[in-house]
Amino acid sequence: MSVNVEYDYDEVINFCKSEGQNSILDLSNDLNGLSDRMTLCQDSFHSKENLLVIGEIYNAFSAIIGSSATKSGVAGLNVEAANILNICYAEAMNDKKILESEIIGQGNSVNGGISEPSQPLENINVIPENSQVQSPPPEPIPNQPANTGQVLGTLSPGTTKETYQAQAYNLDSESYKTLCATVYAEASELPDYIVSDSMGVTSAICNRADAGNWGGSTVIDVVSASGQFSGYGYQNEKFAAAMNDPSVIPAEMRAAIDRVLAGERNTTGVSFSGNGTYNSFR
């Protein structure tokens, strides 16, 4: 069967192997820089106790950059760009192979010679080796904007995909820092669970504060209550690390915490327990 090749497939192949990969890396670096600036901006507004502005910053960034089931933001964009390059590369290689086979067949019919078959389709990794972007799962969850009231990724037991509105909490900068450090020590960091688990832990803390009988009616009363959260206190290495350097907290986790503080929750539970992979809420 003949294939009408109306483009320079070698140019496409070479682009996918070199310039395309470099372009993804450059874009990733630029967007990571933007993400870092966004985090600093969020911190500044937290000191002013303005959660509405924080939510607007996150929602705008998420709407522009997008997200994936493995990682949100920049990583999700890298995954999709890599998929596009792989598709273009595979199609160009396939067209080249078919065209070369036709040329070889025409030569054989005239000269009676036998030529070597063209090389099989190659597989390339268009994501640079030093990139931390993970490959998407076989059935990725469709992108959803952060402000639709839905939770991306795999759900931790006892949490819901559809969030519900509840009381918002305005924290001063030190209380916010302490809460984030506690959630960092308690919640899963696995890409599939980080959003659901982080929102779940923060929701459980806020649910306790709403009730007022779990050590007090503030977030700090709840997390610092004796014998309640193993992730609270400098005896916990992750808590200590986050208090000393808040930048160790993943952006996805910080954004999940912010959503709950702004009044969006994904569990009515007040307790949870972990298995090393995720937490179960009740």
Side-chain angles (χ1 to χ4, degrees):
M1 178 178 179
S2 298
V3 173
N4 184 18
V5 179
E6 298 178 347
Y7 65 96
D8 187 339
Y9 49 75
D10 282 326
E11 181 179 357
V12 174
I13 291 169
N14 291 332
F15 173 80
C16 292
K17 284 184 173 180
S18 57
E19 293 180 36
Q21 297 185 55
N22 293 335
S23 296
I24 292 177
L25 182 59
D26 290 342
L27 179 61
S28 175
N29 290 334
D30 290 343
L31 292 177
N32 276 321
L34 176 61
S35 179
D36 291 340
R37 289 180 178 272
M38 182 193 72
T39 299
L40 291 175
C41 190
Q42 285 180 318
D43 289 340
S44 297
F45 280 111
H46 269 298
S47 65
K48 294 181 174 59
E49 300 182 2
N50 194 334
L51 286 172
L52 178 62
V53 175
I54 296 166
E56 291 297 324
I57 293 170
Y58 173 74
N59 290 344
F61 182 80
S62 179
I64 294 170
I65 304 306
S67 59
S68 77
T70 51
K71 280 191 174 184
S72 64
V74 177
L77 185 64
N78 280 349
V79 168
E80 296 307 319
N83 284 341
I84 293 171
L85 274 186
N86 271 324
I87 292 171
C88 291
Y89 177 84
E91 289 297 322
M93 284 294 296
N94 189 53
D95 287 346
K96 179 178 180 180
K97 180 179 179 181
I98 293 174
L99 183 61
E100 289 178 346
S101 296
E102 290 181 349
I103 294 173
I104 291 172
Q106 292 172 1
N108 288 343
S109 64
V110 174
N111 301 320
I114 300 176
S115 302
E116 290 294 326
S118 59
Q119 293 297 315
L121 182 65
E122 300 175 35
N123 291 317
I124 62 170
N125 177 16
V126 299
I127 301 177
E129 292 182 0
N130 61 348
S131 172
Q132 296 182 354
V133 179
Q134 300 183 14
S135 299
E139 297 181 359
I141 297 173
N143 296 341
Q144 296 287 347
N147 60 350
T148 59
Q150 292 192 354
V151 178
L152 295 176
T154 304
L155 299 181
S156 299
T159 66
T160 59
K161 186 174 184 63
E162 298 289 337
T163 59
Y164 66 94
Q165 292 299 308
Q167 178 180 337
Y169 282 87
N170 289 316
L171 306 183
D172 59 66
S173 57
E174 191 61 25
S175 296
Y176 175 73
K177 182 179 179 182
T178 302
L179 171 65
C180 288
T182 303
V183 175
Y184 177 61
E186 296 278 4
S188 173
E189 288 186 75
L190 293 178
D192 286 348
Y193 288 97
I194 189 168
V195 176
S196 176
D197 223 58
S198 300
M199 289 190 71
V201 171
T202 312
S203 294
I205 292 170
C206 290
N207 290 340
R208 289 188 175 199
D210 289 351
N213 57 356
W214 294 86
S217 57
T218 71
V219 167
I220 297 304
D221 287 341
V222 169
V223 298
S224 62
S226 178
Q228 295 302 304
F229 292 91
S230 61
Y232 171 80
Y234 283 90
Q235 78 285 348
N236 185 290
E237 292 183 1
K238 294 187 69 175
F239 178 92
M243 291 297 287
N244 291 328
D245 180 12
S247 67
V248 302
I249 300 173
E252 296 93 339
M253 181 174 291
R254 183 187 290 268
I257 295 169
D258 289 345
R259 289 175 66 179
V260 175
L261 290 178
E264 191 179 357
R265 301 184 197 175
N266 68 336
T267 182
T268 58
V270 293
S271 299
F272 56 88
S273 56
N275 62 3
T277 301
Y278 53 77
N279 288 300
S280 296
F281 297 85
R282 57 191 181 279

